[in-house]
Amino acid sequence: MPFFGMFGYGGTIASMHLGGIAIVNSKTKESGKVFTLHLSRDALLKKTLSKNSKPTWKTAGGVRDPSEEEMTLSPHKSFTQVEIYGLKKHLEVDRLLGFLKDIYFPYIQCDDDTQSMNTRNPVEFEVNDVNLAEVQEGEVTVTNMHSSNGPDFIFHLKFTEIKSASCQAHARLKCVYFPIIKGKESIDSILEKLRNDGYEMKENFENFSRVSIRRLGRLLPDARWGPLPFMEAKHRKGHKAEFFRRCCKRVKCFVETDAGFSPTLSKTDLAQHNHFTKALRNWGSKYFNNTSAEVEVEACDKDEKLLSYNQLEKQYYDWIKEMHDKYDVEMDGGDDEPTLIINPKCKERLGISNDVEVIRVHRSITRKGKTWRRGDHLKILPGATGRMKNTFYSLKTSLCTTLEYIVVEGLQGDICGEARLICRPIDYSAEQGCWLDEAGCTSPNIYIQESVSFPVSIIDNRMYKIMDDDSWNQMLKKRKEKAPAWIELISNSEVDALGLRGDLPYEGDVMAGYRPPHEIVAVLRPGNYTPSSTGLLEQKYIVKDELEMVMEVKQLSRSKDCPAKLVDKKVKKTSLHNDIHGLYVFPLREASWIFKKSGVYQFNFSVSCRDTSVIQKQTTITVCPDLNSRRCLFTGSSTNSDPVNIRLGCPVICLAVKSVDQYGNEIPFLDTSGITITLFDGDDVLAHVDDVEVELASDSLTMNVKDFLFKTSKLDILRPKYEAKLKLSSFDNKLSGIWPCKVKPGLPSTVVMDMSLFLEENLTPGRVIDNFLLEVFDQFSNHVEEGTILDIHVDGLCFLDKKISVQKVNGEGFIDLRGALRVLGGFGSEACISIFHNGKKIFLQIFQIAIRELKAVNVPESCPAGSFLDIIFEVSDSNGLIDESIDGPLHTLNITSNELPLAEGARYAIKHGRCVVSHVQLPREQGNVTIVACHTHYPDLQITIQLQVQPFDLVLTSFEDGPEPILRDPILSTDSSNLLIPFQVAPAQPSHLVTYVKDVIKKTESKVGDTFSEIESTKKRLVTLYSRKDSLEEEIDTLKGEVGSMVGYFIDAKELIRHKIREKPGTAAFVLCSSECFMDDFVGIVALLGTVPNSKIGKMLAVYLGKDDMLSVVCKTMDAANCIEKYNTDGDVDVGFGIHHEAAALGVPIKSRFSTICLDDIEPFKGGLMRNSPQKELNLTWPFPHVNGPKGFKGFAVNMINLSDENLNITTKGGHGLRETLFYSLFGELQVYETRDDMFRAKDYLNGGAISLDGGIIKGKGKLLLGYSDPKITFPVVSGLMETPGELKGHQDAVTKTRKLDDKVKLLEARKLDDKVKLLEAIKTEISKQEIVYEELLEKFNKRKRKFDEISDKITQPYGNEHVLTPVKAELLDL
């Protein structure tokens, strides 16, 4: 098949436009033949019909061999040659060459950015032996020659069809800047050159095509678009808006598109309805944002870095600013010597950039072949943009001005010399225009004042007209006739015609409360207006200028020396009503309060004209008080609602009264005789004062009521607020006033107390005085005011809880000291209470403390040596009766004696007023014994006992002397009583018998004593063994407790917290920890759902949450929460349902509210979890600027809670765990620090508060938690055994380490418990042995004791009045 390369429909149509016949020769690389087509314009126009009745174009053709020249010119063995004959006569060859170069410019001359910056010629195009690279004609060539030498702004766009991602198109956009050179735009130079070359260019600078498009490198000549959306200035106001509007017009964009864009059939433009074409043309506009559903656009810079539209737009504006600064030269200089100003002060008003450091001020320039001088009159046409006083403004009407100065940026020869024309509007005088300060100043400056700055481009764009002197003077005359001359206030009738309501009685009087009109209407009258002119509201007699009128309302002072007081000021601009312009409407409704205050008011109206003149108008109105609403008012209050404060017994030095109307205007007093003051409450008159002394002020506006006081005893009926009414009236009731008042009682004077509480029997040391109330009265028998402070001094008494002595009187008039005082003095002493007020003693009472005496009952004066003594102590009252109330652990005796072996520090209990000290062994040698007994807490109860110890001896007595004891010796016994056994031996017995008896007694004493000593030794050994046994058992239990708290997957630690919860009955947590779970989806108590690695963290987290949150009930769903309790029809809690039923069964009803948390309703943490974390810690955002946290930072509280396997598996319906829901809702991003200092240093990085392990808490921004607390309910503490803090690694492996403790516990039990248990078993065995020995010794002792008693009976038998020895069996003596 023949192949004709890229010569398709476009080439065919183009050739037919150029000539009548075209011969196409084409050869491919693979083919050895040349295929030829003969195209004829005449054949094309005949439109021969084919068999299917469609117009066809038949053409001749052939096949031939290639010539040698063709093979030489095409070394690659392929070519396409087109020969056109019958060229049209009007076709100009030069124009054709330029046109062809425009079409194929990238192939002929490539100016893309390269490292060498050289122009390349990729393809040689020759037409009639002319190389198109040498052709200097054509729009593209001329445009390229006038572009700036700076870098181009290049970026790429990728268009992707959303429905089909494979359908794409690409475009390369190159923006070229065409600067202004010495006041002439480069684009104007381009158009001028093209017109000189014979091109018919209908475009100008404003509508010149700003976009040129190529497809596959070939120009689409009909694609002459305006600027793309990103090329248009986005700023609406200000200097930047005016700058970018001007500079954006100097940019042209050259677009290179690929085959993804579809052209028209003629291939001279892009298909306008193609979605890629629409996207290219509208990208960045509102239309594209609303219709971008078809195509997705992706932008990137020339380095293929992706850009957002905003980023690209910013880079584009930065590029324009750079091009402007480097290449724009709006004007190089003027005709005169300029004045240099360094860093002018009014850059913004001049309309120049803040970056400009130097400007040149000229008075004459030449522009467009004409000279412009200072003083020329110009009429600036609508559309010109100038820098007005406040902003840039585009003129809507013509503005007549006078040229004052020409300002050029930079020094002469600098690039980017922008120029501005400073013009003064005709409405302003020369003094208000721009002026140059050069006199005597080393640094001149310029002040623009009311002048306007226009760009010099208004001359280039012909947006002006020159005004001669006649035109200017005529304009001045017209302006003067229409200029404002004076102010007139519109009357009521005229205001009604405008649909407004106005008019005031100027220069007249009104009464306070006068209802003013809604508005005051003023107008400015022109100079050609006379008061006799008809039609007050005709527009021609009302100035329409946009001026501001000021209305000031001043209150004139009564004194000429005092200035007037400004009470209101309003500034208004002109408004439109009923098609009438120039009305100044001042609303009076907001200032209606003026007509409620009496005085003379001056209304001043003023207007500052543009020529600095000021027009003014003044008028006055007098406001008088309203006598019909006269009333009295205390000067100490602004209204009758403020009460007057009065205290009984305290004279009122001066009470100032004024007479005012309902608006507070003062009215002078005329008659002040017979003034009476009454104090009453409802129908009850409390006090009354007649003919009080009054005194009028010099202006008669104030009446001073002086030196009066009230006395009454009825004040208690006003308690507790003490509110009453105070009435002031004259004899004839023409002057009357009633005010609320507060009548306070007088100062404390009398104190009354119940003396029955302080009877002697009620005042015992240490006793707390109950029901102790002090009733306080003033001097008029009224209870004193609540809160009255009294100073109470006590002696012999003390305040409980270390309360201070300053007390306040309560609302009932009492000082409540119930349970506040304890008797401190000893028995028989005195106590005293004294009360002071402001340093003055108002009460004194002395009391007698109960009298008690410590006695020893039936104590002998002497006792045998070595005997035992029973002592009975009794505490008796003043009547000698035993005080049985002396009883209890606080009442003990301390007994000391230097001669007796008493236990050091021992105390003997007093029971019901009596203390019995038994079995006190006396010394074995004779002498005196002193025993001192005193009450442990009340040393006043003391007694000293002195005994004489007599020697022990065997005495032989005669029968004549009567019966005398012959032997006194203590017989040891196991009980606590003293045992004195007399042995009486008859004197008539033989001496050997006496000797025998002595031997028996000694032998018996020795054996019994030895047995008793053995018993005592055994008893001591048992005591020691029992003590060692108890100590070992305690050590073993403690060791097991310590070990147990670290094993068993936190069971023991949690049981400890659960036990503490059970110690607080009456809570929901107590019920749930004390009974079986009675509902589904119950998770637990917050305090039991996690553990912490140490007690410090657990304590601080508990303090941060508080008791209520720690004991909150956690459920999975809201349905589960509803199963906890329900309510009856009255809204009360149903105690027979749910948790309240369980509480009733336990016998401890719930007495307070409790929190319930539903996991499914909590918004979970959305940041995800840490990877490979067995505890599933939250992946919280690192809040600090550096990788390492601040000093002392321990971590986030929410991640310091350790969860068991069971709790880790608890999830909500959404799959979120306890840490993501419950603990994140409680702690958030709470941070944990080592110390308060560390915490406060990091406060700028806190997102959710912080705690420190030494007690610091920050709840949030600016919120600290101060004070001290020691919570009982904390999180269970579980930490690794014998692990260092470094090994724990931030607590993350605490749970895993705890699970490995079982083996360590077994080892610990083997090493430590084994020895302890073995020793305990040995001690138990020894105790068993000693107990057997003790029983045997005790049995032996009892046996010998019985035999001893039998010997005693046999030895001494009564015989008449004599005692004789009887024989004793030998076996009885064998003890």
Side-chain angles (χ1 to χ4, degrees), residues 935-947:
H935 197 287
T936 307
H937 297 287
Y938 307 113
D940 294 339
L941 292 179
Q942 180 177 337
I943 188 172
T944 301
I945 303 173
Q946 291 188 344
L947 297 175

Side-chain angles (χ1 to χ4, degrees), residues 489-490 503-508 520-521 603 605 619-621:
L489 301 178
I490 305 301
D503 202 11
L504 276 175
Y506 303 113
E507 307 298 340
I520 296 178
V521 181
F603 287 73
F605 299 87
T619 184
T620 59
I621 296 176

Side-chain angles (χ1 to χ4, degrees), residues 787-843:
T788 301
I789 297 177
L790 298 177
D791 192 4
I792 301 179
H793 294 181
V794 295
D795 185 16
L797 303 172
C798 68
F799 284 96
L800 297 179
D801 299 330
K802 298 183 180 179
K803 292 183 179 180
I804 60 176
S805 61
V806 176
Q807 299 289 328
K808 291 183 179 180
V809 178
N810 62 19
E812 300 297 326
F814 290 87
I815 296 178
D816 190 353
L817 296 178
R818 288 177 291 188
L821 289 176
R822 181 192 299 276
V823 179
L824 188 63
F827 287 106
S829 63
E830 290 184 345
C832 175
I833 296 179
S834 56
I835 301 177
F836 295 82
H837 179 259
N838 293 335
K840 178 182 177 182
K841 184 185 293 185
I842 63 173
F843 179 78

Side-chain angles (χ1 to χ4, degrees), residues 95-122:
R95 294 276 304 279
L96 177 61
L97 295 178
F99 186 69
L100 289 175
K101 187 173 182 179
D102 287 348
I103 298 296
Y104 299 105
F105 189 86
Y107 298 104
I108 300 170
Q109 178 178 329
C110 182
D111 293 326
D112 288 345
D113 296 336
T114 61
Q115 295 294 332
S116 62
M117 300 299 292
N118 294 327
T119 300
R120 297 183 295 107
N121 304 107

Side-chain angles (χ1 to χ4, degrees), residues 1235-1296:
T1235 66
R1236 284 185 174 90
D1237 292 339
D1238 298 336
M1239 177 178 69
F1240 283 111
R1241 277 194 293 266
K1243 65 183 179 63
D1244 293 335
Y1245 307 108
L1246 303 181
N1247 295 328
I1251 62 174
S1252 64
L1253 299 185
D1254 60 353
I1257 296 179
I1258 297 178
K1259 296 286 285 187
K1261 291 292 184 181
K1263 184 178 181 181
L1264 304 178
L1265 187 62
L1266 304 179
Y1268 173 80
S1269 61
D1270 187 11
K1272 301 301 181 183
I1273 307 300
T1274 64
F1275 288 100
V1277 178
V1278 177
S1279 59
L1281 183 65
M1282 293 184 292
E1283 295 285 340
T1284 64
E1287 293 172 338
L1288 292 179
K1289 296 180 181 178
H1291 320 304
Q1292 295 187 6
D1293 300 329
V1295 177
T1296 304

Side-chain angles (χ1 to χ4, degrees), residues 677-702:
I677 297 181
T678 304
L679 187 66
F680 67 95
D681 176 41
D683 296 333
D684 298 326
V685 176
L686 304 178
H688 185 77
V689 180
D690 293 327
D691 293 328
V692 295
E693 180 183 354
V694 297
E695 182 182 86
L696 281 181
S698 58
D699 56 2
S700 298
L701 295 177
T702 304

Side-chain angles (χ1 to χ4, degrees), residues 508-516 553-556 558 565 567-568 590-603 621-626 631 633 637-639 660-667:
D509 296 344
V510 296
M511 185 176 290
Y514 167 75
R515 294 179 62 84
V553 183
K554 297 182 179 180
Q555 185 178 13
L556 302 181
R558 291 186 176 92
K565 177 183 177 182
V567 296
D568 193 22
E590 298 176 0
S592 60
W593 59 271
I594 295 175
F595 301 96
K596 295 180 181 179
K597 300 296 181 182
S598 61
V600 179
Y601 294 89
Q602 185 181 76
F603 287 73
I621 296 176
T622 302
V623 180
C624 302
D626 181 10
R631 59 193 178 93
L633 183 70
S637 62
S638 57
T639 63
V660 297
D661 63 7
Q662 61 178 327
Y663 305 108
N665 297 310
E666 297 180 359
I667 303 173

